[in-house]
Structures are given as C-alpha cells and as structure tokens.
Amino acid sequence: MRFTLRQLEFFIALAQTQQISKAASHCNISQSSMTVAMRNLETSLNNQLFIRQPKGIQLTAAGERFLHYARKIINDSQLAIDDLLYQPQLEKGTVNVGIAKTLSAYLLPAIILEVEQHFPLMTVNFIEANPQVLTESLKRKEIDFSLLLTSNIAQDSALQSEIFIRSPRRLWAAQGHPLLNLPVIHLADIESLPFLLLDTDEYPDVIMEHWRSRGGSPNISFTTTSFETVRSLVAKGKGVTILSDLVYRPWSLEGLRVMRRSIADSTTYMDVGAVTLADSPLREPTATVLNYLRRVITRLGEDG
C-alpha cells in the first residue's frame, strides 16, 4: 500500500469541493490528472473512496474514514516541518483578541498552546463574548481585533473583515436515515422533517432567512445552544440539521454515527475570520499576532 502526500492533498480537496473540476482547479492540475490520481489512490488502498453523482461526488463510508486519516497525515507532516523551522517570536507587549463563543469552543483548544509557545514574551488575552459585544468593544478600542463568524455579522463601514476559512454548510443526518438514499437532496426534501436548530452567534437568523428566500421554512422541533446536543440528537435519529464542515464530527458522544450530505439547491457558508477597525492601523504586536493566527486558523480549516 503506497500513496503520496500529493495524492492525499488531492483527495482532501475533492472531499471539500465534491467536484472533480473544482478540486483540480484548487490544486492547479487538470481534471484528467485529478481523476487519474484518485483512481490510483483507490487502487493502492483497494477501496472505493467516492461515488460519482449527477452534480459531483459523494464520499463512501470508507472515504469518510480515510479522510480523517488523510487530514491527520497532512497536518502531522506540516507540523514536522514547522517544528524544524520553529523560532519563537521575541516581541513583547499585550494583545487583546475577541473571540465569538462558537469559535472559542473549537479554536481555542487547538491554538492556545501554540500561541503561548510562539510568543513567550507576549501576553495574548482571548476575550469570549457574543459578536455584538465584541464589535462594540472593538470600536471602543478595548480589544485589538476579533475572531468572528464574518458571514453572520451585519455590514458596518467602521469595521473591516477578512475571511480565513470558508466552510460549507451541509445536511447532518443519522446513519441509515431515508434521506441518505436519495441520489440528490433538495431543501424541500428536508422541510417536513424535524429540524434541530443550533441557537448561537446569529445562526438562526442566517438559516431562517436563507430558507425563506427559497420559499420555505424548517420544521423546528428543538432549539439548543449546544453543538454536542445537536450532534447526539441527530445521531439518534431525532431530527436533522444543517451545519458547517468546520464543526462536523462523524461520531456523537454515545458513539453513534452522524452522516453529512450536500444539499443541491442550498449552498451557504460559515466564514471564519478577523474583524478590525477600518481606519485604524494595527500596532506592531497586534499585526504580528494577527498574521500568526491567520496562518494557524487557515491550516485548521484545511484540516477540518
């Protein structure tokens, strides 16, 4: 069994885009080269990783499992390189970073130790709050910048936003759910089903408006602020939901499987990025921390 890191990068791109053409463009190769690379990868693994559909591809169960390991291999290889090149920054100062509650749960455990090790002489404070509180704190210059779901915040000429990660939202359903038997899933197929709504960081307004713009509305059966509650209820077949790949995990805390599928006529994204003041230049320590977080968070998005 032999495969290359490049093949794994191609496979990850295909899993993210779910289209041969988009994955090939992302990797700067031809569609035929992408197809051949994936065929060779499947041959080397002696497993079918994806199936072709009218509007793209869908990962098989084996493909979903292998995707986890492919991302880990790519991430570990990058960490090995980073470790060899690692040089701690010797800047001093204090930087206050606002972070939305949704992101705090997923980003901080992954980045906090790296930040502390990378800036041993600097104090980097993370302040968790809801987006509205953080944007007001930013305007009052109580914090230096914020990490937010930039797709969920209202336009404001006083603020400037930058996207680090664009994570597509997909359908989550229990393994064996009848919806998963459909060759193509549309929003109308979901409308009558019990819908589990995550109430955090303006997401209800975003998803409700998206649904209304398509002439429908979800059949909300339960609302919660907990990702794990949504995941567990989905895995137990108590309803379906639509959430981003960034927060997707294939198993609930009870060890039950959560599947995800694209919705043909419903493409929305959870954009993660930084928000700064539009007309206020960043202090040097702030710019240094922001540049570092940009690289780290972008890498997490590629791994997730």
Side-chain angles (χ1 to χ4, degrees):
M1 181 187 300
R2 293 184 178 180
F3 49 76
T4 66
L5 291 180
R6 192 69 172 141
Q7 282 179 313
L8 297 187
E9 290 172 349
F10 293 169
F11 174 63
I12 292 169
L14 182 58
Q16 289 174 333
T17 62
Q18 296 193 316
Q19 290 188 356
I20 292 284
S21 59
K22 289 183 178 179
S25 176
H26 178 80
C27 297
N28 296 312
I29 60 172
S30 66
Q31 291 188 43
S32 60
S33 295
M34 174 64 71
T35 300
V36 170
M38 292 301 93
R39 186 183 301 126
N40 291 341
L41 179 61
E42 288 182 315
T43 299
S44 69
L45 296 172
N46 194 30
N47 264 286
Q48 184 178 3
L49 300 177
F50 59 88
I51 55 177
R52 291 183 178 272
Q53 294 184 321
K55 293 187 177 181
I57 66 96
Q58 177 190 345
L59 292 183
T60 62
E64 288 278 5
R65 293 200 304 275
F66 185 67
L67 179 61
H68 167 77
Y69 293 106
R71 284 170 168 159
K72 187 176 187 306
I73 292 168
I74 293 297
N75 187 43
D76 285 349
S77 66
Q78 185 59 54
L79 287 176
I81 295 171
D82 289 347
D83 184 64
L84 292 174
L85 300 176
Y86 172 69
Q87 292 292 332
Q89 300 295 306
L90 301 181
E91 288 95 335
K92 297 180 180 180
T94 298
V95 178
N96 296 315
V97 183
I99 185 166
K101 292 181 179 179
T102 299
L103 294 181
S104 179
Y106 283 86
L107 287 185
L108 279 188
I111 68 175
I112 189 69
L113 188 58
E114 282 192 61
V115 171
E116 291 175 351
Q117 291 176 340
H118 198 74
F119 300 104
L121 303 182
M122 187 180 292
T123 300
V124 181
N125 298 314
F126 288 94
I127 297 96
E128 180 187 290
N130 66 50
Q132 186 175 1
V133 169
L134 291 176
T135 53
E136 291 304 316
S137 295
L138 183 58
K139 291 176 182 179
R140 292 193 298 268
K141 299 187 177 181
E142 296 169 349
I143 56 178
D144 295 294
F145 65 90
S146 286
L147 300 174
L148 297 176
L149 302 182
T150 56
S151 52
N152 292 4
I153 61 175
Q155 293 294 321
D156 189 327
S157 60
L159 304 176
Q160 178 174 299
S161 62
E162 174 188 0
I163 298 173
F164 295 164
I165 302 170
R166 167 155 281 197
S167 179
R169 293 188 178 102
R170 307 185 203 271
L171 171 74
W172 293 11
Q175 187 173 27
H177 195 288
L179 267 184
L180 303 178
N181 295 325
L182 298 177
V184 180
I185 298 174
H186 295 90
L187 208 56
D189 299 321
I190 306 168
E191 191 167 13
S192 62
L193 300 177
F195 189 85
L196 305 169
L197 181 66
L198 181 70
D199 186 3
T200 181
D201 284 345
E202 315 302 329
Y203 173 70
D205 293 338
V206 171
I207 196 65
M208 293 296 287
E209 178 56 35
H210 174 74
W211 214 303
R212 279 194 296 267
S213 70
R214 282 151 179 77
S217 62
N219 176 28
I220 298 172
S221 61
F222 186 72
T223 301
T224 177
T225 59
S226 168
F227 279 99
E228 295 306 329
T229 298
V230 170
R231 200 185 324 275
S232 292
L233 291 176
V234 167
K236 292 176 180 178
K238 298 301 182 181
V240 300
T241 195
I242 299 173
L243 289 172
S244 88
D245 285 355
L246 184 67
V247 297
Y248 172 75
R249 302 290 182 273
W251 303 98
S252 71
L253 293 177
E254 299 82 9
L256 300 175
R257 187 67 189 272
V258 177
M259 309 298 290
R260 61 179 169 179
R261 286 277 303 276
S262 294
I263 305 169
D265 57 347
S266 175
T267 303
T268 63
Y269 297 89
M270 187 178 85
D271 295 339
V272 176
V275 177
T276 57
L277 289 176
D279 299 319
S280 180
L282 298 178
R283 296 180 301 117
E284 185 173 344
T286 300
T288 301
V289 172
L290 178 57
N291 289 337
Y292 180 73
L293 289 176
R294 179 187 296 111
R295 181 165 66 87
V296 171
I297 293 172
T298 299
R299 188 187 71 207
L300 286 174
E302 292 170 349
D303 299 334

